[in-house]
Amino acid sequence: MTAFLRTIAFAFIAALLAVLLAAPASAAKIDDQFRAWLQNDLWPEAKTKGISKQTFDAAFDGIKPNLKLPDLVMPGEKPKTPQKQHQAEFGSPGAYFAEKTVRAVTSGGRTREAANAKTLAAIEKRYGVPGEILLAIWGRETDFGAAKMPYDAFEVLGTKAFISTKQDFFRTELLAALEIVQRGLAPVGAMKSSWAGALGQPQFMPTSFLKHAVDFDGDGRVDIWNSTPDVLASIANYLVHYGWVRGRGWGFEVTVPESVSCSLEGPDQGKKISEWAGMGIKRVGGKSFPASELKAEGFLLMPAGRSGPAFIATPNFYVLKEYNTSDLYALFIGHGADRIAHGDQSFSGSWGPVGDLHRSDIAALQRALEAKGYDVGSADGLPGFKTRRSIGKWQTKNGQAATCFPDAGLVASLK
């Protein structure tokens, strides 16, 4: 073989080896890597946190990575580019409030309100959180416990701590799950979760379980999988931890005159509710704001800008967002709670035909606004209140009617 041919051959072999080394590992190889990671990486840290080898081995007995879970990055691969998404934030927010979905929570909530009246009254007395709020969260999260928890929490959390896009987050949760078992708060066999690793009927991540789960039925065990009193009181304790204000609701649906800019939205632009009222904002249905609320702080909330219902939210609305960071989730819980307490009645305002944007469209719009000096929070493709009000400010500055919600024409204008 000539020197030239040897050079070509060596180059070919090197290229082939590079391809083979970069290729995604087989499932069997990933299993082996997972076991090595458990013993050489996770176990030393778990040991320093007081986890026994018996607990550790029991938790991972027979556990393999679940490669069907979302947001994984296989060894040898790079994170995939996000595909088209269909969450409520990317279509019309009205889809999130489909009557069938809301009514399932409200009708189920009323049934369970009667069946658990004494428990709910005792919880409200201790924590100050109304029963209908707890029922709405319970219904939304797991259909009042009817939703199955088909996953082993250690399989989910272990997989995600090993090869997900949020390894650090899930590593913390995995170690917390081990602590739950180590402290005898739940046996390994009871640690059933959602595909995201959330536990039990309240859907607590393990760190939230350790902070907020309580034994309210007095049986000496914290059981958020089977005990209704423990489930409801744990939700209440969670909300109180994040600042639930006793004696206040979550907010009121209102009408906002054109003279009030939708760019005034947000929890950092609060005013006394009497001031909002003085600007012409009124409760729907001809109702007055409660006298006890007039001197208290409220916040303008317009989840679809001018293309949907508007609200004056209380600080408790933002406590609900601690359960799930979506404005629409918190609004669903507040609205559902109102309907459980007062009967089924939809919003007075209607949701306009807005949305139908990809997350990448909204992210591009956010980056364009940032380049012009606007604070959109972050260019994450989620049209939160900072993005919505920045849109409104840009529209006003450029002689357009402020809508405070992204649309295709706006994306094109700002490119």
Side-chain angles (χ1 to χ4, degrees), residues 122-207:
I123 291 172
E124 183 166 0
K125 182 177 180 180
R126 180 180 299 184
Y127 296 101
V129 182
E132 54 267 20
I133 290 286
L134 307 178
L135 291 165
I137 292 175
W138 187 25
R140 180 65 182 175
E141 291 296 327
T142 56
D143 191 19
F144 308 102
K148 302 298 182 185
M149 295 291 110
Y151 293 92
D152 183 301
F154 291 105
E155 176 188 80
V156 171
L157 297 170
T159 300
K160 287 179 170 286
F162 176 52
I163 52 172
S164 80
T165 57
K166 298 171 66 177
Q167 288 175 301
D168 290 345
F169 171 83
F170 284 104
R171 186 185 184 97
T172 298
E173 296 299 340
L174 179 56
L175 291 166
L178 288 166
E179 183 180 346
I180 290 171
V181 175
Q182 182 66 39
R183 288 170 53 182
L185 300 174
V188 168
M191 295 288 283
K192 301 300 182 183
S193 76
S194 70
W195 61 266
L199 304 173
Q201 296 185 38
Q203 288 291 273
F204 281 175
M205 295 303 291
T207 52

Side-chain angles (χ1 to χ4, degrees), residues 112-400:
R112 288 159 182 82
E113 185 176 38
N116 298 281
K118 289 184 179 179
T119 296
L120 289 166
I123 291 172
E124 183 166 0
K125 182 177 180 180
R126 180 180 299 184
Y127 296 101
V129 182
E132 54 267 20
I133 290 286
L134 307 178
L135 291 165
I137 292 175
W138 187 25
R140 180 65 182 175
E141 291 296 327
T142 56
D143 191 19
F144 308 102
K148 302 298 182 185
M149 295 291 110
Y151 293 92
D152 183 301
F154 291 105
E155 176 188 80
V156 171
L157 297 170
T159 300
K160 287 179 170 286
F162 176 52
I163 52 172
S164 80
T165 57
K166 298 171 66 177
Q167 288 175 301
D168 290 345
F169 171 83
F170 284 104
R171 186 185 184 97
T172 298
E173 296 299 340
L174 179 56
L175 291 166
L178 288 166
E179 183 180 346
I180 290 171
V181 175
Q182 182 66 39
R183 288 170 53 182
L185 300 174
V188 168
M191 295 288 283
K192 301 300 182 183
S193 76
S194 70
W195 61 266
L199 304 173
Q201 296 185 38
Q203 288 291 273
F204 281 175
M205 295 303 291
T207 52
S208 290
F209 179 102
L210 291 172
K211 292 176 184 176
H212 309 301
V214 296
D215 170 24
F216 200 77
D217 61 14
D219 68 353
R221 297 186 304 123
V222 177
D223 187 357
I224 63 170
W225 290 270
N226 303 294
S227 169
T228 296
D230 289 5
V231 167
L232 294 171
S234 296
I235 295 171
N237 191 41
Y238 183 103
L239 297 177
V240 168
H241 176 88
Y242 284 103
W244 184 271
V245 182
R246 184 187 290 263
R248 295 194 76 183
W250 68 271
F252 311 91
E253 187 181 358
V254 298
T255 57
V256 180
E258 292 295 332
S259 58
V260 176
S261 173
C262 51
S263 64
L264 293 176
E265 183 183 6
D268 54 350
Q269 298 191 104
K271 302 178 185 293
K272 291 181 180 180
I273 290 181
S274 60
E275 293 181 58
W276 290 117
M279 296 167 68
I281 292 178
K282 299 178 180 179
R283 284 187 72 184
V284 300
K287 301 175 183 177
S288 300
F289 291 107
S292 60
E293 289 284 334
L294 291 175
K295 293 182 179 180
E297 190 174 32
F299 313 92
L300 183 62
L301 171 68
M302 301 181 75
R306 286 286 179 185
S307 297
F311 308 87
I312 293 295
T314 75
N316 285 340
F317 175 86
Y318 295 97
V319 174
L320 293 176
K321 282 191 67 175
E322 295 291 343
Y323 214 97
N324 181 313
T325 57
S326 165
D327 284 335
L328 300 184
Y329 175 89
L331 183 58
F332 185 101
I333 298 304
H335 179 56
D338 286 349
R339 289 174 59 157
I340 290 170
H342 307 297
D344 284 310
Q345 185 172 346
S346 300
F347 295 124
S348 293
S350 58
W351 303 95
V354 294
D356 295 326
L357 292 174
H358 297 178
R359 183 167 174 171
S360 57
D361 294 328
I362 299 172
L365 182 149
Q366 290 168 323
R367 288 192 294 271
L369 286 169
E370 280 184 330
K372 296 178 183 299
Y374 292 91
D375 177 12
V376 299
S378 64
D380 58 3
L382 298 170
F385 74 90
K386 287 187 176 181
T387 295
R388 297 195 294 264
R389 70 188 186 191
S390 292
I391 289 171
K393 291 177 180 177
W394 181 87
Q395 289 170 320
T396 299
K397 183 177 179 180
N398 287 273
Q400 300 179 17

